[in-house]
Amino acid sequence: MSASEAPPTPRSVDAVVVGAGFSGMYLLHQLREQGLSVVVFEAGTDVGGTWYWNRYPGARVDVESLAYSYSFSPDLEQEYQWEERYPTQPEILKYARHVADRFDLRRDIVFRTRVTAATWDEEAGTWLVRTEHGDAVSARFFVMATGCLSASKMPEIPGLETFKGATYHTAHWPHEGVDFTGKRVALIGTGSSGVQSIRSSPSRPRT
């Protein structure tokens, strides 16, 4: 099932998981193995989590590819061949998509959907989870797999709201990419994403 063919939202499941990144996909697989019914809500259009959203120039990891390999399936470990020792964002996303296909995960993932509320019913012992589309799902278990990088922060710079030029954030990079040819570029931040962006830019931006 493709991301554009997401299943309808069920009314009741054993578990609701928020986020279809690496932890969300793993939870879905493991909960299924335990015989539980699961629905995963994902704001994006596909799996991958951080590596779906973060597409800034030069994005890659600073750990070896094996650290991003799932260990729950020996067959998966043996069959998948990484292209680089320290993979780029496109390769990590490719791996996440491979896992989703390999274990048919997408049939239980509802894409383009954000959870807006979750209420615990003490008497019934269940969660009532609501989404931005008006869906309501009852579940015994409610698991947040949104990770520590799901909420980005814009810098608090006076005048930013009136700046007339284009502004971009590495955590919300346009999926179609950005052409900086002939433009003067200023970059704020020298963490890993800042350094990667600088190194990959044809016209090295000032920091």
Side-chain angles (χ1 to χ4, degrees), residues 90-161:
E91 186 177 2
I92 300 173
L93 183 57
K94 177 183 176 182
Y95 174 74
R97 288 169 170 166
H98 172 79
V99 173
D101 293 336
R102 176 75 166 71
F103 296 97
D104 191 22
L105 300 181
R106 288 189 180 88
R107 64 181 168 89
D108 289 321
I109 303 175
V110 180
F111 295 97
R112 302 182 181 86
T113 303
R114 293 182 181 274
V115 169
T116 56
T119 306
W120 172 250
D121 186 328
E122 187 70 39
E123 183 176 345
T126 59
W127 288 93
L128 183 63
V129 181
R130 298 184 182 278
T131 76
E132 62 182 332
H133 303 305
D135 300 311
V137 184
S138 174
R140 290 191 292 150
F141 307 105
F142 179 54
V143 187
M144 300 298 293
T146 49
C148 62
L149 301 177
S150 60
S152 59
K153 177 177 173 57
M154 291 295 291
E156 298 177 3
I157 301 174
L160 183 62
E161 67 281 359

Side-chain angles (χ1 to χ4, degrees), residues 175-186:
H175 286 196
E176 65 274 13
V178 180
D179 184 5
F180 291 109
T181 303
K183 297 181 179 180
R184 293 186 300 169
V185 181

